């Protein structure tokens, strides 16, 4: 089992920044690909970003490319999502995800999910 706990969400004005963290425990963190998803009210959960085990390969949804950066610190068993130039449409609950398979994360069916952290961007 892998336990994931997100933190760092909050209320921010449009144009502002937030950094989300996801602390993992339970298994060898460096063996897992990690991802971030988000879910806006009344909408389906959507992919935001993904990172491989070493941190050398990342992918982003088009809607966040150039504004968000995913990174990881394997020594701290933590993955981060730096969010800059935030827009009201970035509002939602942000979830951390983990899986051995990068395709499982990219397909939206990772083995492990965090409980989510709320991000609200005001206009």
């Amino acid at each position: 089992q892998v336990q994931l706990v997100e933190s760092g969400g909050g209320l921010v004005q449009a144009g502002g920044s937030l950094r989300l963290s996801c602390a993992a425990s339970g298994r060898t963190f460096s063996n897992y690909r990690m991802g971030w998803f988000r879910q806006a009210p009344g909408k389906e959960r959507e992919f935001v970003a993904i990172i491989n085990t070493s941190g050398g390969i990342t992918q982003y949804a088009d809607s966040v490319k150039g504004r968000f950066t995913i990174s990881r610190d394997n020594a701290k068993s933590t993955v981060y999502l730096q969010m800059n130039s935030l827009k009201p449409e970035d509002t939602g609950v942000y979830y951390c995800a983990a899986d051995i398979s990068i395709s499982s994360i990219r397909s939206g069916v990772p083995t492990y999910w965090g409980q989510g952290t709320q991000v609200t961007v005001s206009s």
Side-chain angles (χ1 to χ4, degrees):
Q1 289 287 339
V2 174
Q3 292 77 42
L4 303 172
V5 179
E6 301 97 333
S7 61
L11 173 64
V12 63
Q13 288 189 334
S17 298
L18 281 176
R19 188 175 84 152
L20 306 183
S21 299
C22 172
S25 61
R27 292 282 179 92
T28 304
F29 178 74
S30 59
N31 288 343
Y32 287 82
R33 284 74 175 172
M34 302 296 296
W36 286 97
F37 290 76
R38 67 186 181 187
Q39 187 167 21
K43 295 187 176 182
E44 293 186 355
R45 192 177 302 185
E46 64 174 2
F47 166 78
V48 174
I50 194 169
I51 191 166
N52 74 334
T53 54
S54 68
I57 298 175
T58 57
Q59 295 179 6
Y60 299 91
D62 288 344
S63 58
V64 308
K65 205 171 293 184
R67 300 187 298 121
F68 290 11
T69 302
I70 187 172
S71 62
R72 67 189 294 161
D73 185 337
N74 286 343
K76 296 183 178 179
S77 298
T78 301
V79 63
Y80 305 97
L81 186 68
Q82 177 66 45
M83 305 186 295
N84 298 329
S85 302
L86 282 161
K87 305 175 181 180
E89 51 264 43
D90 294 318
T91 294
V93 178
Y94 282 69
Y95 297 91
C96 176
D99 203 290
I100 296 295
S101 165
I102 202 165
S103 62
S104 293
I105 297 178
R106 194 60 185 89
S107 300
V109 289
T111 301
Y112 303 105
W113 289 102
Q115 83 290 349
T117 186
Q118 177 70 45
V119 171
T120 303
V121 184
S122 64
S123 57

